[in-house]
Amino acid sequence: MFALHCKTLNSTPSMPAPQILFTPGPLMTSEGVRKAMMVDYASRDGTFLRAVKEIRRTLLDVAAVDHNEWAAILLQGAGTMGIEATINTLTPQVNGKYLLINTGKYSERQRAIVKHLKRGLVEFTVGEGEEIDIAKLEELLKAHPDITNVGYVFHETSTGMIYPAETIGALVRRYLPNVVIIVDAISGFGGIPLRVPDACDALITSSNKCFHGVPGFSVVLAKRSVVEAKKGNSTCLTMDLQRQLAGFDKNGQFVVTPPVHALMAFHQALKEFQEEGGLEGRVRQYKQKADIVVVAAKAMGFELFLHEYKPSFGNIVVALKMPVHPLWNFKKFYTFLNERGFVIYPGKASHAETFRFGIIGATTAQNVRDVMEASREALASMGITNLKDLPAPNSVDTSSS
Ligand SMILES: *Cc1c(COP(=O)(O)O)cnc(C)c1O
């Protein structure tokens, strides 16, 4: 038994062949980011605590918010846990009423959390991939003066759509100035321009979307006064944002064990973010990479799920409609790319058949050209030159399918 155990858990692991990820989280990280995880730090180590302080300060800089009015709260776990912690901390236990602008898959997560936490819920449903009807939203705000919180998603990663955060923020504040606005900006913050104070009172992002870190913690940027007013409101002890912030204020430390390696990786990732031109640099990079996907995909006859010239088209992921060509086989396409070291994002929007190329992450423009070339070869292997060219009806053998 013991010998077998030793054999399985070899202490010098062989490196598997690197994969190029076109998935929007977990995503490709740079070599520098991975190397930053090679050193162990204790949670009270000076170098580590300075890194945490710099991370928190830099995030407020990226958000362009007042450092006295706003705080960056880091919380262990996935991005969704940051959302849950924020909703639980900032939605009143008594008479809390959460208006959810439901735009798709990631809004559904907020919905599930609000329901689970037994807070009141009002929903404003927007069709997937459709623009928000602002006049209708205005009607709903007028009809519900008892709303305490508004939640929405800035960029829906399932479709690639951006929602008008500043417009939503201004509208909510016009009718309900005391409402606490929560935005899931997990896949948009750091990659899409956003006037944070106009959009919300609390914003959630994570270590491994537009900042290209590794998974391990979420980031909540919140107005201090809003968080501090909610002492004791969270029904969860370890995911209480008010306690977490109080901990940082007291000694700059996490309340319980921090994900040190992920934080050191993020510290390096933020350095690279700034070296590559900060937010503007990311916007430029993503636009360039998304354009390569869009042009190549259209040339192969794929159709985009969203209209690429609208301002709501994000360059974070490119969603393509699942082709209906009789020779098309998504599983074959996915496997063909996988065997060549490329991983795409097969998950789909709830209502539409789509698949996606993730643009964010430390992939290069050349990596993107390579995966599009491999996509062309994958189509060719199925006998497809262009998805718009349908074969003559009698040339397709339907007996085998
Ligand atoms: C990735 C993502 C999440 C979830 O993040 P996890 O780290 O997987 O929990 C939530 N919302 C949006 C918009 C995302 O893109």
Side-chain angles (χ1 to χ4, degrees):
M1 259 322 261
F2 185 66
L4 184 71
H5 189 233
C6 288
K7 204 175 167 193
T8 319
L9 294 176
N10 195 325
S11 63
T12 49
S14 60
M15 283 293 200
Q19 289 188 312
I20 311 289
L21 304 187
F22 294 94
T23 51
L27 40 62
M28 278 288 282
T29 53
S30 72
E31 200 179 339
V33 166
R34 293 192 299 272
K35 275 193 176 149
M37 293 187 286
M38 301 286 276
V39 180
D40 296 324
Y41 289 98
S43 55
R44 289 180 180 78
D45 178 273
T47 304
F48 170 70
L49 289 180
R50 268 193 301 280
V52 170
K53 195 173 167 184
E54 269 178 38
I55 288 170
R56 297 184 59 226
R57 199 182 55 219
T58 306
L59 286 166
L60 294 179
D61 285 340
V62 176
V65 291
D66 185 312
H67 287 225
N68 295 316
E69 275 180 41
W70 288 70
I73 308 166
L74 312 178
L75 186 72
Q76 296 90 334
T80 309
M81 293 159 84
I83 295 174
E84 178 159 353
T86 306
I87 292 175
N88 201 352
T89 306
L90 302 184
T91 312
Q93 275 191 45
V94 180
N95 295 330
K97 197 169 200 180
Y98 195 97
L99 165 62
L100 173 64
I101 302 175
N102 190 334
T103 50
K105 199 177 149 198
Y106 284 101
S107 309
E108 289 292 330
R109 287 209 186 161
Q110 282 188 46
R111 182 179 195 281
I113 290 167
V114 173
K115 292 286 253 184
H116 185 85
L117 294 173
K118 299 188 166 58
R119 308 303 213 275
L121 177 71
V122 184
E123 268 185 278
F124 180 75
T125 306
V126 181
E128 204 159 52
E130 285 171 21
E131 309 278 347
I132 293 174
D133 185 334
I134 294 293
K136 269 197 188 151
L137 178 60
E138 187 168 3
E139 287 311 308
L140 190 136
L141 289 169
K142 281 192 214 166
H144 291 85
D146 56 343
I147 287 168
T148 55
N149 298 71
V150 172
Y152 66 98
V153 175
F154 174 42
H155 169 265
E156 268 285 350
T157 321
S158 53
T159 58
M161 188 149 181
I162 303 171
Y163 296 96
E166 295 88 352
T167 306
I168 294 170
L171 189 70
V172 171
R173 284 180 182 145
R174 182 175 339 140
Y175 293 100
L176 305 168
N178 299 319
V179 153
V180 172
I181 309 173
I182 296 170
V183 62
D184 167 359
I186 290 186
S187 61
F189 184 68
I192 303 170
L194 175 66
R195 291 196 308 274
V196 175
D198 293 342
C200 64
D201 300 290
L203 171 154
I204 304 108
T205 187
S206 97
S207 52
N208 86 127
K209 292 273 163 107
C210 297
F211 291 110
H212 305 177
V214 301
F217 61 95
S218 60
V219 173
V220 183
L221 304 181
K223 266 188 207 149
R224 277 187 167 277
S225 58
V226 165
V227 176
E228 285 163 358
K230 290 292 191 292
K231 190 171 179 187
N233 183 61
S234 174
T235 58
C236 184
L237 186 74
T238 51
M239 283 170 47
D240 179 344
L241 286 189
Q242 185 275 327
R243 279 184 87 237
Q244 191 83 343
L245 177 58
F248 283 124
D249 283 345
K250 190 172 136 208
N251 54 19
Q253 294 176 17
F254 283 69
V255 180
V256 291
T257 303
V260 277
H261 301 83
L263 284 154
M264 293 313 286
F266 193 74
H267 186 248
Q268 173 64 24
L270 274 182
K271 209 167 127 195
E272 293 176 13
F273 175 85
Q274 288 177 318
E275 283 164 2
E276 290 165 21
L279 176 63
E280 273 175 44
R282 277 288 135 96
V283 169
R284 223 178 308 120
Q285 251 178 43
Y286 293 165
K287 170 96 173 81
Q288 187 201 6
K289 292 196 283 179
D291 281 352
I292 295 170
V293 172
V294 168
V295 170
K298 281 167 60 171
M300 285 178 249
F302 284 105
E303 282 179 34
L304 301 183
F305 179 64
L306 298 176
H307 200 298
E308 83 252 44
Y309 297 114
K310 285 194 179 165
S312 54
F313 185 89
N315 291 314
I316 303 295
V317 296
V318 175
L320 302 178
K321 289 185 190 166
M322 202 56 87
V324 289
H325 193 286
L327 297 175
W328 165 261
N329 181 322
F330 179 70
K331 199 161 173 240
K332 269 192 200 160
F333 183 78
Y334 183 87
T335 307
F336 186 99
L337 295 182
N338 228 353
E339 282 166 353
R340 282 148 190 83
F342 300 116
V343 185
I344 60 168
Y345 189 28
K348 59 182 184 190
S350 330
H351 306 299
E353 285 284 339
T354 58
F355 72 97
R356 289 157 289 177
F357 286 90
I359 302 300
I360 58 177
T363 49
T364 61
Q366 190 55 47
N367 292 148
V368 181
R369 282 183 211 108
D370 292 343
V371 74
M372 297 322 284
E373 184 50 36
S375 300
R376 237 182 310 271
E377 288 165 14
L379 287 187
S381 78
M382 295 173 210
I384 304 170
T385 314
N386 189 302
L387 287 156
K388 297 265 191 255
D389 301 333
L390 295 182
N394 59 3
S395 71
V396 182
D397 177 12
T398 49
S399 61
S400 63
S401 60

